[in-house]
């Protein structure tokens, strides 16, 4: 079949026609609107594609959820970390205080078994120990980040004498061996609040742990933020803000701070697990949290005693594996966050 000839000057017949013989003009297809993506959204898209980072984020989130819900979990479980089962149920232990059942008395009643000696429930002691360690480490991390932002960014932007004195303070504090200073200063800080002859309340030990780690924990992040700020203050948008009459505080808050989010967030994901292990180390050495308050490091100290090593080697499994999983997951999360912000640094 051939199409009907078109008369000169006539327009082509529209391809869509209505049943009554009238024709309707075709609607032009709507052009797709292009939406710009912010750097934060691009970072989130890249992060979601990183399976390792997403899994690590879920693992870390589970740890914080367990820490927050520890009282509820303990209530549903029907036990608490303070009950001395060696006194309340002596039939579960032998004369040396070791659980009679194998593997530390692991059973349907005691999921992770019982601690040799006092007979604390290992499961509730672990989740409350995670709660204690994460609470202290999170508080230290917040204090360190705030201090590093205030001193590092301010020194880098103002320059001159503020930069000089902050730099010298950082150099001076970095000269201290952190771990040895933690161990040596904890009894001194505690003695400022409580007499050595009196029993030290738990809250005093918590405050001392936070203060000691904060004093020697903010310098590395402050130095990184200072260096980043030094490079940013010479950029054109900072000069434009100065010309417009913006105050230094407004420039720091509106222009510089949003541009240091990347190193700030990445370094924070590395700081928190470091503080967790540092706090556990202090409790392990006996200068941090002590019984009966549950703590991660305190469980390591108990696991290293001769009674546990000779009779219940499985006791070390629970705090050890949980600590390794947390630290590895947080470090992998930090790597994924770094790669999401800076794709050129991807592994």
């Amino acid at each position: 079949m051939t199409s009907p000839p078109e008369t000169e000057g006539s327009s082509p017949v529209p391809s869509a026609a209505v049943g009554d013989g009238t024709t309707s003009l075709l609607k032009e297809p709507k052009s797709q609107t292009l939406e710009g993506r912010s750097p934060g959204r691009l970072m989130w898209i890249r992060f979601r594609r990183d399976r390792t980072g997403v899994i690590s984020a879920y693992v870390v989130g589970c740890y914080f959820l367990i820490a927050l819900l520890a009282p509820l979990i303990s209530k549903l479980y029907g036990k608490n970390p303070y009950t001395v089962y060696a006194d309340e149920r002596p039939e579960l232990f032998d004369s040396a205080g070791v659980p009679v059942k194998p593997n530390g008395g692991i059973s349907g009643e005691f999921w992770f078994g019982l601690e040799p000696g006092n007979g604390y429930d290992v499961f509730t002691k672990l989740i409350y120990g995670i709660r204690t360690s994460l609470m202290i480490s999170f508080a230290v991390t917040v204090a360190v980040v705030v201090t590093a932002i205030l001193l590092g960014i301010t020194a880098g932007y103002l320059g001159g004498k503020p930069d000089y004195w902050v730099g010298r303070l950082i150099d001076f504090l970095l000269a201290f061996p952190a771990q040895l200073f933690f161990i040596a200063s904890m009894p001194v800080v505690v003695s400022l609040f409580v007499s050595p002859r009196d029993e030290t309340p738990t809250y005093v030990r918590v405050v001392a742990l936070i203060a000691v780690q904060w004093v020697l924990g903010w310098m590395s992040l402050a130095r990184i933020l200072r260096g980043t700020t030094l490079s940013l203050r010479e950029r054109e948008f900072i000069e434009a803000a100065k010309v417009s009459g913006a105050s230094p505080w407004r420039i720091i808050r509106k222009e510089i701070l949003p541009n240091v989010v990347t190193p700030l967030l990445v370094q924070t994901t590395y700081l928190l697990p470091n503080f967790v292990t540092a706090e556990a180390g202090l409790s392990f050495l006996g200068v941090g949290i002590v019984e009966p308050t549950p703590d991660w490091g305190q469980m390591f100290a108990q696991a290293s005693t001769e009674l546990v090593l000779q009779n219940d080697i499985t006791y070390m499994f629970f705090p050890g594996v949980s600590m390794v999983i947390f630290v590895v997951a947080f470090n992998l999360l930090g790597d994924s966050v770094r790669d999401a912000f800076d794709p050129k640094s991807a592994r």
Side-chain angles (χ1 to χ4, degrees), residues 22 34-35 56 118 123 131 143 167 211 235 265 281-282 286 294 329 335 346:
T22 61
L34 298 177
E35 296 182 357
S56 299
N118 292 324
F123 176 73
R131 177 187 177 92
R235 302 284 293 273
L265 187 58
L282 292 174
D335 292 340

Side-chain angles (χ1 to χ4, degrees), residues 62-325:
C62 286
Y63 272 86
F64 278 97
L65 192 63
I66 289 172
L68 290 174
L69 300 180
L72 178 60
I73 297 173
S74 176
K75 184 177 180 180
L76 295 175
Y77 179 57
K79 300 174 181 63
N80 64 73
Y82 306 104
T83 302
V84 181
Y85 285 98
D87 295 336
E88 294 199 1
R89 299 179 61 181
E91 70 276 4
L92 297 175
F93 301 86
D94 60 16
S95 59
V98 178
V100 176
K101 293 183 179 180
N103 298 321
I106 296 177
S107 63
E109 184 180 6
F110 301 99
W111 294 352
F112 289 0
L114 295 164
E115 181 181 277
N118 292 324
Y120 295 119
D121 178 74
V122 177
F123 176 73
T124 53
K125 188 171 184 179
L126 177 61
I127 61 175
Y128 270 85
I130 293 174
R131 177 187 177 92
T132 303
S133 296
L134 289 187
M135 178 188 68
I136 294 173
S137 303
F138 183 78
V140 175
T141 303
V142 171
V144 164
V145 169
V146 172
T147 305
I149 290 175
L150 292 176
L151 295 182
I153 294 181
T154 302
Y157 177 73
L158 296 179
K161 288 186 177 180
D163 185 27
Y164 175 82
W165 288 112
V166 171
R168 301 296 74 76
L169 177 62
I170 291 175
D171 294 336
F172 174 73
L173 293 178
L174 285 176
F176 286 89
Q179 297 297 330
L180 292 178
F181 185 81
F182 289 162
I183 298 170
S185 60
M186 270 297 298
V188 177
V189 175
V190 169
S191 66
L192 296 176
F193 299 93
V194 181
S195 172
R197 295 185 297 271
D198 300 332
E199 184 178 356
T200 305
T202 301
Y203 76 90
V204 173
R205 291 187 175 274
V206 170
V207 171
L209 280 170
I210 295 173
V212 168
Q213 293 185 85
W214 164 61
V215 169
L216 287 182
W218 60 270
M219 295 83 68
S220 59
L221 180 58
R223 176 171 281 184
I224 293 173
L225 295 180
R226 172 186 172 274
T228 306
T229 305
L230 285 173
S231 62
L232 286 173
R233 73 176 185 178
E234 306 300 331
R235 302 284 293 273
E236 291 80 2
F237 65 93
I238 299 296
E239 295 296 332
K242 291 180 180 178
V243 172
S244 66
S247 64
W249 168 244
R250 180 176 177 81
I251 293 175
I252 291 174
R253 184 166 52 92
K254 294 291 186 179
E255 304 295 341
I256 294 180
L257 192 57
N259 286 281
V260 299
V261 169
T262 300
L264 182 63
L265 187 58
V266 172
Q267 290 300 316
T268 301
T269 58
Y270 292 129
L271 284 174
L272 195 144
N274 288 338
F275 288 132
V276 168
T277 54
E279 187 276 334
L282 292 174
S283 298
F284 175 83
L285 296 172
V287 294
I289 303 299
V290 297
E291 287 188 346
T293 305
D295 183 79
W296 231 337
Q298 186 191 110
M299 294 187 73
F300 282 104
Q302 180 67 21
S304 64
T305 59
E306 184 177 357
L307 179 65
V308 177
L309 288 175
Q310 291 183 355
N311 298 280
D312 184 17
I313 195 64
T314 58
Y315 179 85
M316 173 65 93
F317 176 81
F318 299 106
V321 171
S322 61
M323 174 75 77
V324 170
I325 292 175

